[in-house]
Amino acid sequence: MKANTANNLITWGASLAIIGALTVLLSGYGYQWGWWHFSTGFSMIPWGTGGAVLGGIIAAIGFFKISDRSQNQTILGYLGIALALIALLNIGYWYLEIQKGYPPIHDISTDTLNPPEFDAIVPLRADAPNPPEYVRGEAAAAQEAYYGDIEPIEIALNYDEAYDRALETANDMSWTLVDENRQEGRIEAYDKVAWYGFIDDVVIRVDTTETGSRIDIRSKSRIGRGDLGVNAKRIRTYIDEFNN
């Protein structure tokens, strides 16, 4: 292969890989910025991934056909190959997540019989497809079957100590605190996903028991039927932070 042809392959391949990677990245931020619907963003991901992988392959062919590479050829070659590998890892990660068979639910609570209720957050969900109310029935059964480890925090602390610790833990999370009401034992916050900007709401309830206090946590997505386990992971993380 002629050096000029190999150089063109590196340049074109790296350019295609960059365009593909930017397409994947912008699929989410474009939705956040109001450029398109999230379903449009989702449809862009396989095209962008394919472009990044194809570009990386083309760049690699040109890259390995030249033994005496210039600095520019080396940078573009490595960039194209790296972006292709990142694209493959990204799609592989989400493929494995989907294969885990998460139930199609988006509202997780440590108490499915009497879940904590949203109050201050309700106006923020006015335009959200998913209502703030807890829908009992299949969702609770699915949670019990798949997230059986999600349970309340039972701790031998008095009410004020438990509330302070619950609030401190919430502040330590990467959440935006919306409201906290010591008298009613309620803490509300939301968590925003960086890429697509999807928002999940959290409400924490602190109550007394015969042996101390009980903390219940509920996390619900504003949009989407399933959450790929995100809300359950969030509750587990909070419980771990609280206990530590």
Side-chain angles (χ1 to χ4, degrees), residues 181-195:
N181 189 315
R182 179 181 296 271
Q183 183 176 355
E184 297 181 6
R186 186 179 59 251
I187 302 166
E188 295 177 86
Y190 67 81
D191 190 13
K192 184 176 181 179
V193 179
W195 186 15

Side-chain angles (χ1 to χ4, degrees), residues 68-125:
D68 188 17
R69 310 179 192 95
S70 66
Q71 183 178 15
N72 185 57
Q73 290 171 332
T74 300
I75 292 173
L76 288 177
Y78 279 132
L79 179 61
I81 295 170
L83 289 175
L85 292 174
I86 292 171
L88 286 172
L89 288 173
N90 181 58
I91 204 71
Y93 169 80
W94 288 112
Y95 174 79
L96 292 176
E97 284 293 295
I98 293 172
Q99 295 307 305
K100 291 180 180 178
Y102 292 111
I105 56 177
H106 55 264
D107 193 351
I108 306 297
S109 175
T110 55
D111 186 346
T112 57
L113 297 177
N114 180 32
E117 295 182 357
F118 294 110
D119 183 58
I121 275 177
V122 171
L124 303 182
R125 298 182 64 101

Side-chain angles (χ1 to χ4, degrees), residues 26-44:
L26 287 174
S27 69
Y29 287 106
Y31 165 69
Q32 280 202 63
W33 299 332
W35 293 357
W36 45 66
H37 192 265
F38 71 86
S39 61
T40 301
F42 287 163
S43 69
M44 293 167 61

Side-chain angles (χ1 to χ4, degrees), residues 153-159 161-162 165 209 211-214 242:
I153 299 172
E154 301 271 0
I155 194 164
L157 294 175
N158 65 44
Y159 178 83
E161 292 173 332
R165 187 161 168 178
T209 65
T211 58
S213 299
R214 166 173 167 156
F242 184 96

